[in-house]
Amino acid sequence: MEDRMTQEDRKLQECIEYFKQRKVYEKLFVKVWDKYRSLGRFGGTVQLSGLDREECRQLGGFLQKNYAGKDTVSVSASAMEKALEGSRFSGLRWEVVLQGYFQEELLGKKEQRRQEEARKEQFFTGITASCPGNPGALWLQEVFQTKGEGYRLLMEHYRRQPEKLEETLSMLLRAIPRLPFLSAEDRAGAYELTAVFAAKTTGDPHFLDAGTLGEQLLCAFLREHIPGSPGLTEFRAEEKAELFWKAGLLRDELSNNMLVYGVAGQGKDGKPHRGLEGFLTQREPLQLTLLTMRKLERVSPQGEKCVYIVENPAVFAKLSQAWPEAAVLCGNGQIRLAVLVFLDLFPREVHFLYAGDYDPEGLQIAQKLKERYGDRLQLWKYRREFYEKYRSDVEISEKSLKQLDHIYLEELQEVKEEMLRQKKAAYQEAMLEEYLRGA
């Protein structure tokens, strides 16, 4: 048995050497190799083109065909099998010859995919098996099985940098069980600065920085585990901040703020918030930060169940002075997380009136707020006649005008169309008299 195997091995080596000495067979075998991968078996026909005289002679010598003067020839698997069986290499199989020639296992595409899926499953199972019961591991298993939220991101990094992905996932699985909204007894009142949390759980304070793989994967996890989580839209940064807020993580407690006038608040202990009460009694505006908001259970406007929201601080100042009995808010030209968090603290019977600039960015803010609060929010003074009346000489750039393509809200269409024609902005500071006339 050993002698026979030795003879077969010797025959195989002689066969491979024969073909390697005749360069035309590299062209042929590459084509046959690809055909095998496509079919999953040895079969079919391949074409060779651009052959010179010597290559035609070499090819015909083994296949026992006359290819003289032909530039393109077709070679079938059946012809190759017949030629091999009729040669001194009889008894060998083409699959074995090709594997020896290329020094690589000959696999069909189906088998290649099966093996790749098995390696992939082993990779992720190895990561999750080390932490049974971990909510992050359970999520990862579900993502892999259902190709759900985060699957494409995982596959992209698995293909490019599997070692880096393994390290990141291991750190993420250490962090997830310690998220405030999962681990704290009083989940609603537990918050931690993101960088501090990352350093404490992973050893790297930058692990959850904006744009990192850690942040992207945590967002995918949170969108699956926090009801009503925001999707990915133009307010991407703020929506991520809101997602982290709901999980008990704060990017920045102090600089994320808004201007508030005429609002009372109740703390999580059920008692009136003395800070808000003081400013309300003194009839003074205040700059409210997330640091304070996280201590509030609910807020309410003074007077009517109505809150005015404006984009510009100067307009905020004028309205709060002119209407001392009203409730007025201002986001300083942006819809920051602080604005959304604060508006969510009002009971549902309170409705909002929002006014902003007549420019593409202003219309986007108005549309997003309307999307979020629906019938509770009224777009205030958004009419074509006001745009025409208060239009400035400030040109809107073509790049900025392109943002109007995303304005679909019916209430904003007449302003949008006029803005596309005029290509000018109208700012709410010029509309003070209009606002002071009331709703």
Side-chain angles (χ1 to χ4, degrees), residues 209-233:
D209 282 0
T212 62
L213 178 58
E215 184 219 36
Q216 294 176 69
L217 289 173
L218 182 58
C219 281
F221 170 82
L222 293 177
R223 279 195 291 271
E224 290 294 315
H225 289 79
I226 295 180
S229 297
L232 297 180
T233 64

mmCIF file of all heavy atoms in Angstrom, residues 209-233:
data_model
loop_
_atom_site.group_PDB
_atom_site.id
_atom_site.type_symbol
_atom_site.label_atom_id
_atom_site.label_comp_id
_atom_site.label_asym_id
_atom_site.label_seq_id
_atom_site.Cartn_x
_atom_site.Cartn_y
_atom_site.Cartn_z
ATOM 1 N N ASP A 209 -16.209 58.093 21.720
ATOM 2 C CA ASP A 209 -16.166 59.392 21.031
ATOM 3 C C ASP A 209 -16.972 59.324 19.736
ATOM 4 O O ASP A 209 -17.136 58.246 19.138
ATOM 5 C CB ASP A 209 -14.721 59.788 20.715
ATOM 6 C CG ASP A 209 -13.993 60.341 21.934
ATOM 7 O OD1 ASP A 209 -14.612 60.421 23.015
ATOM 8 O OD2 ASP A 209 -12.802 60.690 21.804
ATOM 9 N N ALA A 210 -17.433 60.494 19.270
ATOM 10 C CA ALA A 210 -18.235 60.559 18.045
ATOM 11 C C ALA A 210 -17.468 59.960 16.869
ATOM 12 O O ALA A 210 -16.309 60.289 16.633
ATOM 13 C CB ALA A 210 -18.612 62.008 17.741
ATOM 14 N N GLY A 211 -18.135 59.075 16.138
ATOM 15 C CA GLY A 211 -17.558 58.490 14.927
ATOM 16 C C GLY A 211 -16.772 57.221 15.152
ATOM 17 O O GLY A 211 -16.410 56.539 14.180
ATOM 18 N N THR A 212 -16.473 56.856 16.397
ATOM 19 C CA THR A 212 -15.711 55.635 16.650
ATOM 20 C C THR A 212 -16.591 54.407 16.431
ATOM 21 O O THR A 212 -17.826 54.478 16.476
ATOM 22 C CB THR A 212 -15.161 55.602 18.083
ATOM 23 O OG1 THR A 212 -16.273 55.615 18.999
ATOM 24 C CG2 THR A 212 -14.254 56.797 18.354
ATOM 25 N N LEU A 213 -15.947 53.275 16.209
ATOM 26 C CA LEU A 213 -16.696 52.032 16.049
ATOM 27 C C LEU A 213 -17.458 51.700 17.324
ATOM 28 O O LEU A 213 -18.591 51.215 17.270
ATOM 29 C CB LEU A 213 -15.728 50.896 15.682
ATOM 30 C CG LEU A 213 -16.351 49.509 15.513
ATOM 31 C CD1 LEU A 213 -17.433 49.519 14.439
ATOM 32 C CD2 LEU A 213 -15.274 48.478 15.181
ATOM 33 N N GLY A 214 -16.843 51.972 18.471
ATOM 34 C CA GLY A 214 -17.527 51.728 19.735
ATOM 35 C C GLY A 214 -18.825 52.503 19.843
ATOM 36 O O GLY A 214 -19.862 51.962 20.251
ATOM 37 N N GLU A 215 -18.790 53.779 19.454
ATOM 38 C CA GLU A 215 -20.004 54.598 19.506
ATOM 39 C C GLU A 215 -21.063 54.075 18.537
ATOM 40 O O GLU A 215 -22.250 53.973 18.876
ATOM 41 C CB GLU A 215 -19.674 56.056 19.156
ATOM 42 C CG GLU A 215 -20.868 56.987 19.285
ATOM 43 C CD GLU A 215 -20.941 58.045 18.188
ATOM 44 O OE1 GLU A 215 -20.582 57.739 17.034
ATOM 45 O OE2 GLU A 215 -21.380 59.153 18.486
ATOM 46 N N GLN A 216 -20.652 53.723 17.317
ATOM 47 C CA GLN A 216 -21.604 53.242 16.315
ATOM 48 C C GLN A 216 -22.286 51.943 16.754
ATOM 49 O O GLN A 216 -23.491 51.768 16.581
ATOM 50 C CB GLN A 216 -20.881 53.031 14.985
ATOM 51 C CG GLN A 216 -20.370 54.318 14.352
ATOM 52 C CD GLN A 216 -19.576 54.049 13.088
ATOM 53 O OE1 GLN A 216 -20.121 53.635 12.074
ATOM 54 N NE2 GLN A 216 -18.270 54.247 13.145
ATOM 55 N N LEU A 217 -21.506 51.038 17.322
ATOM 56 C CA LEU A 217 -22.087 49.773 17.764
ATOM 57 C C LEU A 217 -22.990 49.967 18.979
ATOM 58 O O LEU A 217 -24.048 49.329 19.082
ATOM 59 C CB LEU A 217 -20.970 48.781 18.085
ATOM 60 C CG LEU A 217 -20.199 48.248 16.877
ATOM 61 C CD1 LEU A 217 -19.013 47.414 17.312
ATOM 62 C CD2 LEU A 217 -21.119 47.428 15.968
ATOM 63 N N LEU A 218 -22.602 50.857 19.890
ATOM 64 C CA LEU A 218 -23.465 51.124 21.037
ATOM 65 C C LEU A 218 -24.787 51.743 20.583
ATOM 66 O O LEU A 218 -25.850 51.412 21.115
ATOM 67 C CB LEU A 218 -22.768 52.038 22.047
ATOM 68 C CG LEU A 218 -23.581 52.344 23.311
ATOM 69 C CD1 LEU A 218 -23.956 51.060 24.042
ATOM 70 C CD2 LEU A 218 -22.829 53.281 24.236
ATOM 71 N N CYS A 219 -24.730 52.633 19.599
ATOM 72 C CA CYS A 219 -25.961 53.226 19.061
ATOM 73 C C CYS A 219 -26.870 52.136 18.489
ATOM 74 O O CYS A 219 -28.093 52.162 18.693
ATOM 75 C CB CYS A 219 -25.630 54.243 17.967
ATOM 76 S SG CYS A 219 -25.082 55.850 18.588
ATOM 77 N N ALA A 220 -26.279 51.182 17.761
ATOM 78 C CA ALA A 220 -27.078 50.085 17.199
ATOM 79 C C ALA A 220 -27.733 49.282 18.317
ATOM 80 O O ALA A 220 -28.912 48.904 18.224
ATOM 81 C CB ALA A 220 -26.192 49.185 16.344
ATOM 82 N N PHE A 221 -27.000 49.012 19.381
ATOM 83 C CA PHE A 221 -27.550 48.290 20.530
ATOM 84 C C PHE A 221 -28.690 49.082 21.176
ATOM 85 O O PHE A 221 -29.764 48.528 21.461
ATOM 86 C CB PHE A 221 -26.449 48.019 21.556
ATOM 87 C CG PHE A 221 -26.955 47.500 22.874
ATOM 88 C CD1 PHE A 221 -27.239 46.152 23.034
ATOM 89 C CD2 PHE A 221 -27.166 48.362 23.946
ATOM 90 C CE1 PHE A 221 -27.732 45.668 24.249
ATOM 91 C CE2 PHE A 221 -27.655 47.884 25.160
ATOM 92 C CZ PHE A 221 -27.934 46.539 25.309
ATOM 93 N N LEU A 222 -28.470 50.373 21.395
ATOM 94 C CA LEU A 222 -29.464 51.193 22.085
ATOM 95 C C LEU A 222 -30.740 51.347 21.265
ATOM 96 O O LEU A 222 -31.843 51.374 21.825
ATOM 97 C CB LEU A 222 -28.869 52.566 22.413
ATOM 98 C CG LEU A 222 -27.730 52.571 23.440
ATOM 99 C CD1 LEU A 222 -27.179 53.978 23.612
ATOM 100 C CD2 LEU A 222 -28.198 52.014 24.780
ATOM 101 N N ARG A 223 -30.608 51.466 19.935
ATOM 102 C CA ARG A 223 -31.811 51.610 19.117
ATOM 103 C C ARG A 223 -32.698 50.371 19.210
ATOM 104 O O ARG A 223 -33.901 50.454 18.984
ATOM 105 C CB ARG A 223 -31.434 51.892 17.658
ATOM 106 C CG ARG A 223 -31.092 53.346 17.403
ATOM 107 C CD ARG A 223 -31.094 53.660 15.917
ATOM 108 N NE ARG A 223 -29.999 53.016 15.226
ATOM 109 C CZ ARG A 223 -28.787 53.544 15.069
ATOM 110 N NH1 ARG A 223 -28.527 54.731 15.585
ATOM 111 N NH2 ARG A 223 -27.849 52.910 14.413
ATOM 112 N N GLU A 224 -32.097 49.223 19.533
ATOM 113 C CA GLU A 224 -32.880 48.000 19.679
ATOM 114 C C GLU A 224 -33.469 47.859 21.088
ATOM 115 O O GLU A 224 -34.390 47.080 21.294
ATOM 116 C CB GLU A 224 -31.996 46.779 19.388
ATOM 117 C CG GLU A 224 -31.601 46.632 17.930
ATOM 118 C CD GLU A 224 -32.796 46.334 17.042
ATOM 119 O OE1 GLU A 224 -33.618 45.489 17.422
ATOM 120 O OE2 GLU A 224 -32.915 46.964 15.972
ATOM 121 N N HIS A 225 -32.927 48.584 22.059
ATOM 122 C CA HIS A 225 -33.309 48.355 23.451
ATOM 123 C C HIS A 225 -34.010 49.539 24.122
ATOM 124 O O HIS A 225 -34.479 49.399 25.250
ATOM 125 C CB HIS A 225 -32.066 47.979 24.272
ATOM 126 C CG HIS A 225 -31.553 46.626 23.940
ATOM 127 N ND1 HIS A 225 -30.790 46.359 22.817
ATOM 128 C CD2 HIS A 225 -31.700 45.435 24.582
ATOM 129 C CE1 HIS A 225 -30.488 45.073 22.794
ATOM 130 N NE2 HIS A 225 -31.030 44.494 23.833
ATOM 131 N N ILE A 226 -34.083 50.671 23.447
ATOM 132 C CA ILE A 226 -34.757 51.833 24.032
ATOM 133 C C ILE A 226 -35.976 52.175 23.183
ATOM 134 O O ILE A 226 -35.832 52.537 22.015
ATOM 135 C CB ILE A 226 -33.809 53.047 24.120
ATOM 136 C CG1 ILE A 226 -32.663 52.736 25.102
ATOM 137 C CG2 ILE A 226 -34.558 54.294 24.549
ATOM 138 C CD1 ILE A 226 -31.675 53.860 25.269
ATOM 139 N N PRO A 227 -37.181 52.045 23.713
ATOM 140 C CA PRO A 227 -38.402 52.338 22.946
ATOM 141 C C PRO A 227 -38.400 53.776 22.426
ATOM 142 O O PRO A 227 -37.965 54.697 23.109
ATOM 143 C CB PRO A 227 -39.525 52.125 23.979
ATOM 144 C CG PRO A 227 -38.920 51.250 25.031
ATOM 145 C CD PRO A 227 -37.471 51.623 25.091
ATOM 146 N N GLY A 228 -38.886 53.937 21.199
ATOM 147 C CA GLY A 228 -39.001 55.272 20.616
ATOM 148 C C GLY A 228 -37.674 55.910 20.286
ATOM 149 O O GLY A 228 -37.573 57.135 20.202
ATOM 150 N N SER A 229 -36.652 55.092 20.058
ATOM 151 C CA SER A 229 -35.334 55.654 19.744
ATOM 152 C C SER A 229 -35.358 56.348 18.404
ATOM 153 O O SER A 229 -36.015 55.891 17.468
ATOM 154 C CB SER A 229 -34.271 54.552 19.726
ATOM 155 O OG SER A 229 -34.144 53.958 20.982
ATOM 156 N N PRO A 230 -34.625 57.470 18.281
ATOM 157 C CA PRO A 230 -34.631 58.208 17.016
ATOM 158 C C PRO A 230 -33.913 57.448 15.929
ATOM 159 O O PRO A 230 -33.001 56.661 16.193
ATOM 160 C CB PRO A 230 -33.871 59.507 17.359
ATOM 161 C CG PRO A 230 -32.987 59.113 18.494
ATOM 162 C CD PRO A 230 -33.769 58.100 19.281
ATOM 163 N N GLY A 231 -34.304 57.696 14.679
ATOM 164 C CA GLY A 231 -33.598 57.117 13.546
ATOM 165 C C GLY A 231 -32.458 58.019 13.130
ATOM 166 O O GLY A 231 -32.139 58.998 13.786
ATOM 167 N N LEU A 232 -31.849 57.705 11.984
ATOM 168 C CA LEU A 232 -30.729 58.505 11.499
ATOM 169 C C LEU A 232 -31.236 59.496 10.461
ATOM 170 O O LEU A 232 -31.649 59.131 9.376
ATOM 171 C CB LEU A 232 -29.659 57.586 10.879
ATOM 172 C CG LEU A 232 -29.028 56.593 11.857
ATOM 173 C CD1 LEU A 232 -28.005 55.754 11.133
ATOM 174 C CD2 LEU A 232 -28.387 57.315 13.021
ATOM 175 N N THR A 233 -31.237 60.774 10.797
ATOM 176 C CA THR A 233 -31.693 61.813 9.882
ATOM 177 C C THR A 233 -30.695 62.950 9.905
ATOM 178 O O THR A 233 -29.569 62.795 10.330
ATOM 179 C CB THR A 233 -33.084 62.328 10.316
ATOM 180 O OG1 THR A 233 -32.952 62.944 11.601
ATOM 181 C CG2 THR A 233 -34.091 61.192 10.424
#
